[in-house]
Amino acid sequence: EDEAEADEWEENAPAQGQPAGNAGGAAQLTNGADTEEPVGANAIVLHEDKQYYPDAEEVYPDAEVLVMDEDAQTLEEPIVANVSKPVFTSFAKEASTAAKYSNEFLAGLMNTPFNIRNLAVVGHFHSGKTALMDLLIEQTKQEAWDPSKEVRFTDTRSDEQERGVSIKSTPVSLVLPDTRGKSYLINLIDTPGHVNFSGAAT
């Protein structure tokens, strides 16, 4: 029995000069896989033949991989589209009666910087900023507005009209005279007063 065990050990023992586990030729990991392929002891694996990470087909064998050679999305289409677009009301057309001056006259005042005034209406929440804007805009109209109706001309969004709160800043350009009848181009900005919308006022 001892002689049989010695013969079996000699058959299974690695060849002299070779490390254990590489009997009959050196084994080397190729392509970063878990399988061993017997190659020469001094074999060189090229860099482009090495695979450090598994392919997508190996990680997701049941998934379909699609590769687009060209970008099918147009430049006009945004990468991330808006979730919802603001809805504007039509009250501006109803309250927008004819003005006392023409658009050409307003544009002509832009050529004289001395007659231009830039103002921002800033104040606390519900301090009457939008109401002041309505009074100034009404002075530029040929027909007076109904005093019993709150116009809120600078609240152009439907949610602003429903809540009665200014959410976005709204610019308005008006032509208003002084006490001597000289016309000035007044650029006004109606800003929100609520602290949650203070970013639109800064």
Side-chain angles (χ1 to χ4, degrees):
E1 293 180 359
D2 296 339
E3 294 179 357
E5 291 179 357
D7 295 339
E8 182 178 357
W9 180 85
E10 291 179 356
E11 293 178 358
N12 296 332
Q16 185 177 3
Q18 294 183 354
N22 289 342
Q28 183 175 353
L29 291 176
T30 59
N31 297 332
D34 296 337
T35 59
E36 295 184 356
E37 180 181 358
V39 295
N42 297 326
I44 298 176
V45 181
L46 299 178
H47 176 73
E48 56 268 16
D49 295 337
K50 293 182 180 180
Q51 182 178 1
Y52 299 97
Y53 302 100
D55 294 334
E57 291 80 1
E58 299 176 6
V59 179
Y60 306 102
D62 299 332
E64 181 181 2
V65 180
L66 301 177
V67 179
M68 298 179 61
D69 296 335
E70 297 181 0
D71 191 1
Q73 187 174 4
T74 60
L75 296 177
E76 292 77 10
E77 182 181 357
I79 297 177
V80 180
N82 295 331
V83 178
S84 61
K85 296 182 179 180
V87 180
F88 296 92
T89 59
S90 60
F91 85 99
K93 296 181 180 180
E94 301 175 357
S96 163
T97 57
K100 297 179 180 179
Y101 51 85
S102 62
N103 294 333
E104 290 77 9
F105 181 74
L106 187 148
L109 290 176
M110 296 181 181
N111 297 327
T112 56
F114 181 77
N115 296 334
I116 298 177
R117 301 292 185 270
N118 300 319
L119 301 173
V121 183
V122 182
H124 295 288
F125 183 59
H126 281 331
S127 60
K129 300 182 298 298
T130 304
L132 175 61
M133 297 290 293
D134 289 343
L135 293 175
L136 295 176
I137 295 173
E138 184 183 7
Q139 298 302 315
T140 64
K141 302 298 181 181
Q142 296 181 2
E143 299 179 4
W145 292 339
D146 185 4
S148 62
K149 182 180 179 181
E150 187 178 13
V151 179
R152 304 187 66 87
F153 190 85
T154 54
D155 289 346
T156 57
R157 295 163 53 108
S158 59
D159 51 357
E160 291 178 332
Q161 289 286 322
E162 294 174 358
R163 301 180 183 183
V165 177
S166 298
I167 299 177
K168 296 293 184 179
S169 296
T170 305
V172 176
S173 295
L174 304 175
V175 176
L176 296 173
D178 59 2
T179 56
R180 297 174 297 177
K182 186 176 182 179
S183 298
Y184 288 87
L185 176 60
I186 311 298
N187 296 321
L188 296 169
I189 297 181
D190 183 20
T191 60
H194 198 280
V195 64
N196 291 347
F197 313 124
S198 60
T202 57

